[in-house]
């Protein structure tokens, strides 16, 4: 109750002094230490180290809650008063924005806006890039003004999320247990790996991996893998259900830790994976590769959204936090796990030349490459799986998505898991 009263007091107090005084250093210094911002999102980026650094650099408290993707979606859509900052993926934004629980953000307050990569503005990493299928971040990244309800088709000065983190995802493999080259998504359903394959059980993402496999097998040609017809959903799930009944899958995972344990134990040799999970397996001294595949990557991007309930001094603090987030320290931390920052050039200032060369430029490591936690991941001579930033993000085949037939897809996915 005291927390609610204090929050209310901060808001009304800030409103009373008026917007003109909000930026006054004296007021800021006095009140900033009393502010607590509540953030939730997936475990990917809701890290205690970030909260500690915010306290150290900015002076206020960031309370973080890590949830799985489905829980993140549900909370953002149904519990608007339970958070101040939503750290969510762009496909989730498509589900949450229509609820009115988030507020549009003024890009004139974002000091590094001009340095954000083109993927989040025009949809194109380079002028020659082809925009991939699925929910491309730029397609749900802008609205027409502060009260905009519809997504805009181009930059408007008002963003739904300020982009922070993204990656090109592929299959993780245990090369020591497979013993031969892997180059196609089709291998996930190769009977050679019966009982030793796994796919993630988050329907919106899992079905994209499934689609990459089915298309690579030549079984289905999709109009848009990120927005399938009912017929395409049925065909995809039929192929995967048949494989499941034939004993192809050892398990279906929902959390990062589950995927790490399956791979590290050797119970699974090929599966859907996320970059830091590969990092975690390698940090145990176990060979694990994020295998580039000829059909390309399934990609995702995330950003920070602000609660529609946020105002006054707390809103100013939230903008301060977002500007700090894009200033490079967090980017460097995340890039050492294999992710990319929305403003790569500021991250460079928080990485050694060797780290930047390895993670971003695809260069051979000159010395030990360590995780943000100090674990040695690679030694001199190693090259990043998939090469440079432009090699990897330039080979994106589809983005995580929300389909028009989402409810039907979820039902069919659940039938597959239960089969």
């Amino acid at each position: 109750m005291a927390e609610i009263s204090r929050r209310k007091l901060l808001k009304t107090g800030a409103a009373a002094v008026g917007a003109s005084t909000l930026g006054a250093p004296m007021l800021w210094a006095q009140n900033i230490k009393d502010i607590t911002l509540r953030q939730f999102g997936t475990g990917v980026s809701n890290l205690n180290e970030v909260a500690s650094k915010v306290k150290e650099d900015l002076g206020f408290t960031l309370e973080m809650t890590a949830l799985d993707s489905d829980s993140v979606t549900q909370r953002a859509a149904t519990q608007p008063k339970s958070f101040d900052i939503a750290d969510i993926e762009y496909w989730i934004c498509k589900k949450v924005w229509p609820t009115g629980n988030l507020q549009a953000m003024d890009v004139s307050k974002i000091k590094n806006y001009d340095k954000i990569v083109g993927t989040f503005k025009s949809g194109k990493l380079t002028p020659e890039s082809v925009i991939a299928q699925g929910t491309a971040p730029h397609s749900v990244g802008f609205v027409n003004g502060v009260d905009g309800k519809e997504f805009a088709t181009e930059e408007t000065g008002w963003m739904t999320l300020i982009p922070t983190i993204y990656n090109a995802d592929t299959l993780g493999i245990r090369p020591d247990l497979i013993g031969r080259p892997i180059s196609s998504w089709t291998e996930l359903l190769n009977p050679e790996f019966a009982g030793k394959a796994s796919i993630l059980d988050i329907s919106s993402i899992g079905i994209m991996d499934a689609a990459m496999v089915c298309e690579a097998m030549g079984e289905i040609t999709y109009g848009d893998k990120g927005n399938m017809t009912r017929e395409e959903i049925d065909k995809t799930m039929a192929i995967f259900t048949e494989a499941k009944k034939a004993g192809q899958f050892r398990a279906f995972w929902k959390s990062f830790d589950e995927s790490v344990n399956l791979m590290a134990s050797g119970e699974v040799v090929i599966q859907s994976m996320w970059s830091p999970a590969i990092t975690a397996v390698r940090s145990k001294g176990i060979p694990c590769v994020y295998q580039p595949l000829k059909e390309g990557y399934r990609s995702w991007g995330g950003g920070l959204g602000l609660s529609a309930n946020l105002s006054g001094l707390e809103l100013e603090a939230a903008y301060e936090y977002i500007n700090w987030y894009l200033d490079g320290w967090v980017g460097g931390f995340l890039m050492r796990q294999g992710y990319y920052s929305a403003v790569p050039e500021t991250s460079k200032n928080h990485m050694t030349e060797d780290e930047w060369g390895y993670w971003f430029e695809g260069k051979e490591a000159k010395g030990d490459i360590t995780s943000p936690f100090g674990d040695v991941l690679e030694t001199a001579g190693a090259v990043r799986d998939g090469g440079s930033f432009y090699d990897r993000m330039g080979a994106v085949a589809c983005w995580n998505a929300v389909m028009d037939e989402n409810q039907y897809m979820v039902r069919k996915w659940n039938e597959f898991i239960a089969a």
Side-chain angles (χ1 to χ4, degrees):
M1 191 67 192
E3 174 63 15
I4 294 166
S5 307
R6 192 170 86 232
R7 293 170 63 79
K8 192 173 176 187
L9 188 66
L10 269 169
K11 283 183 181 174
T12 50
V17 296
S20 60
T21 352
L22 266 181
M26 187 77 115
L27 178 75
W28 184 252
Q30 285 171 352
N31 290 340
I32 189 74
K33 64 182 185 299
D34 294 329
I35 287 179
T36 296
L37 293 178
R38 301 160 301 159
Q39 175 177 312
F40 76 100
T42 63
V44 162
S45 48
N46 283 270
L47 305 160
N48 293 332
E49 291 78 8
V50 174
S52 301
K53 191 69 174 159
V54 166
K55 187 74 175 171
E56 182 186 325
D57 288 359
L58 300 180
F60 57 81
T61 302
L62 188 68
E63 285 179 356
M64 284 185 166
T65 306
L67 304 165
D68 65 58
S69 298
D70 289 339
S71 303
V72 165
T73 309
Q74 192 175 10
R75 183 164 176 178
T78 62
Q79 299 175 50
K81 293 186 175 167
S82 72
F83 68 91
D84 301 308
I85 298 167
D87 181 359
I88 61 178
E89 288 178 52
Y90 277 87
W91 64 270
I92 294 175
C93 184
K94 197 171 180 181
K95 289 185 175 186
V96 173
W97 191 261
T99 65
N101 291 348
L102 299 177
Q103 60 178 286
M105 284 180 278
D106 180 357
V107 305
S108 70
K109 293 185 176 181
I110 306 301
K111 69 177 184 184
N112 280 315
Y113 178 76
D114 60 321
K115 296 190 180 89
I116 292 172
V117 292
T119 301
F120 295 99
K121 292 170 164 181
S122 64
K124 295 192 167 195
L125 180 62
T126 68
E128 297 75 44
S129 297
V130 175
I131 296 172
Q133 294 180 356
T135 305
H138 76 289
S139 67
V140 293
F142 295 93
V143 285
N144 294 315
V146 65
D147 296 317
K149 298 287 181 282
E150 303 291 320
F151 297 120
T153 55
E154 57 194 7
E155 291 179 68
T156 61
W158 294 94
M159 286 190 111
T160 56
L161 304 175
I162 301 298
T164 53
I165 183 175
Y166 53 107
N167 208 0
D169 282 1
T170 182
L171 297 174
I173 67 164
R174 280 286 300 270
D176 56 322
L177 301 180
I178 289 176
R180 66 171 177 82
I182 296 289
S183 63
S184 172
W185 281 87
T186 59
E187 299 279 15
L188 189 66
L189 292 193
N190 190 329
E192 182 186 335
F193 307 126
K196 294 190 169 183
S198 176
I199 192 168
L200 78 167
D201 181 16
I202 298 169
S203 57
S204 300
I205 308 173
I207 197 160
M208 302 299 275
D209 282 356
M212 291 295 284
V213 173
C214 293
E215 196 163 70
M217 290 167 72
E219 293 286 341
I220 306 171
T221 303
Y222 300 89
D224 178 353
K225 287 185 282 295
N227 198 14
M228 298 180 198
T229 63
R230 287 194 173 203
E231 186 186 6
E232 288 169 341
I233 294 166
D234 288 344
K235 278 186 183 173
T236 306
M237 291 292 84
I239 290 166
F240 268 71
T241 301
E242 188 182 342
K244 181 174 188 264
K245 287 179 172 171
Q248 185 68 13
F249 301 108
R250 170 70 183 83
F252 303 93
W253 61 265
K254 269 186 186 281
S255 79
F256 170 93
D257 290 336
E258 288 174 299
S259 72
V260 172
N261 294 337
L262 287 168
M263 210 58 150
S265 67
E267 288 179 63
V268 163
V269 299
I270 184 167
Q271 68 170 356
S272 306
M273 268 186 112
W274 296 334
S275 189
I278 299 277
T279 304
V281 175
R282 282 185 181 170
S283 67
K284 298 174 190 285
I286 297 165
C288 191
V289 173
Y290 215 27
Q291 184 60 50
L293 303 169
K294 62 187 178 187
E295 299 89 7
Y297 295 90
R298 173 188 56 72
S299 202
W300 59 275
L304 298 175
L306 300 184
S307 165
N309 296 310
L310 210 52
S311 62
L313 202 59
E314 288 172 314
L315 180 59
E316 294 294 313
Y319 271 108
E320 188 89 353
Y321 165 60
I322 288 169
N323 279 320
W324 171 87
Y325 204 108
L326 297 181
D327 208 32
W329 184 88
V330 183
F333 191 92
L334 295 173
M335 279 174 68
R336 284 185 201 94
Q337 290 182 284
Y339 296 128
Y340 295 117
S341 160
V343 186
E345 64 186 90
T346 60
S347 310
K348 190 176 181 181
N349 303 328
H350 294 265
M351 302 174 82
T352 66
E353 188 183 341
D354 195 25
E355 285 176 326
W356 178 259
Y358 175 82
W359 289 114
F360 192 81
E361 296 176 325
K363 290 181 179 172
E364 200 174 282
K366 292 179 178 139
D368 286 350
I369 298 294
T370 59
S371 77
F373 313 104
D375 301 309
V376 175
L377 305 176
E378 297 290 0
T379 52
V383 177
R384 182 174 187 179
D385 306 333
S388 75
F389 170 71
Y390 289 101
D391 290 337
R392 298 173 90 256
M393 290 309 299
V396 171
C398 64
W399 290 91
N400 285 356
V402 176
M403 305 181 187
D404 295 340
E405 292 287 358
N406 181 63
Q407 284 178 300
Y408 183 78
M409 182 279 291
V410 172
R411 193 166 86 236
K412 289 295 172 183
W413 178 267
N414 290 338
E415 286 173 11
F416 154 64
I417 293 294

